[in-house]
Amino acid sequence: MQIISSHAEFEQHLGKELGVSSWHQITQQQINNFADATLDHQWIHTDEERAKNEGPFKATIAHGYLTLALIPYLWKEIVEIRNLKMEINYGIESLRFAQPVIVDSKIRLKAKLASIVNLRGVTKVHMGIEMEIEDQKKPAFTGEVVFLYHFITE
């Protein structure tokens, strides 16, 4: 795990891979909870029997936005950002879903610092990301996320 406490420390990682999270298994319970939270109960996600018999993957699949929502959780396994007033999930750019995540699959996040800029004391980073699926060649998605970090300055 990387530890970053300032804009200058972050800048040292420009163009480099910051790391990879541990594997996280996507369970049916997690999919169902996400469906409840988002009111998206499409059968391909929540109806195990129908997905098994009628679905193209012979099992339920995670919502794409569920895997996306796990970025902050998995990101915190890769880098610990210290000395902060505030951290903001600012945006997502050029995201592409490459393949579905079938229930009980394991996923992990790979992150690379694509760009960094100091906006009058606020660090804006563009992070190249890839959500890998265990034992699969294609990732669940690739893209770029944008974070704002307000470091404490003395």
Side-chain angles (χ1 to χ4, degrees):
M1 173 184 281
Q2 303 280 343
I3 297 174
I4 296 173
S5 300
S6 69
H7 178 90
E9 286 180 27
F10 228 139
E11 218 167 27
Q12 294 173 10
H13 299 280
L14 183 59
K16 299 176 185 172
E17 184 175 296
L18 286 162
V20 180
S21 73
S22 65
W23 291 107
H24 174 80
Q25 186 168 20
I26 299 293
T27 65
Q28 188 62 51
Q29 184 62 53
Q30 188 173 31
I31 293 169
N32 293 345
N33 290 344
F34 190 83
D36 289 342
T38 60
L39 307 177
D40 180 358
H41 292 93
Q42 185 182 21
W43 66 268
I44 194 71
H45 304 302
T46 59
D47 189 333
E48 294 173 75
E49 195 61 31
R50 186 172 176 191
K52 179 181 175 184
N53 295 318
E54 298 178 35
F57 310 105
K58 303 302 176 201
T60 57
I61 61 171
H63 303 73
Y65 288 123
L66 165 57
T67 60
L68 193 60
L70 290 169
I71 291 171
Y73 168 75
L74 296 172
W75 168 240
K76 290 189 183 341
E77 289 190 357
I78 298 170
V79 176
E80 180 182 342
I81 309 292
R82 295 182 179 170
N83 195 33
L84 284 178
K85 291 183 207 177
M86 186 174 12
E87 173 182 358
I88 298 169
N89 296 322
Y90 190 68
I92 299 172
E93 298 185 4
S94 60
L95 180 80
R96 298 290 180 263
F97 290 104
Q99 77 169 335
V101 176
I102 298 169
V103 67
D104 296 324
S105 294
K106 292 181 181 177
I107 59 173
R108 70 181 180 183
L109 184 68
K110 184 189 300 183
K112 176 181 179 177
L113 182 57
S115 71
I116 183 169
V117 63
N118 186 336
L119 303 172
R120 294 175 301 201
V122 176
T123 298
K124 180 180 179 184
V125 298
H126 285 243
M127 204 65 57
I129 55 165
E130 182 176 306
M131 186 69 77
E132 297 178 321
I133 306 170
E134 189 176 48
D135 298 326
Q136 297 294 314
K137 289 182 181 182
K138 288 173 50 178
F141 61 77
T142 58
E144 211 171 81
V145 292
V146 185
F147 298 124
L148 298 179
Y149 293 103
H150 297 249
F151 286 101
I152 298 168
T153 55
E154 297 183 20

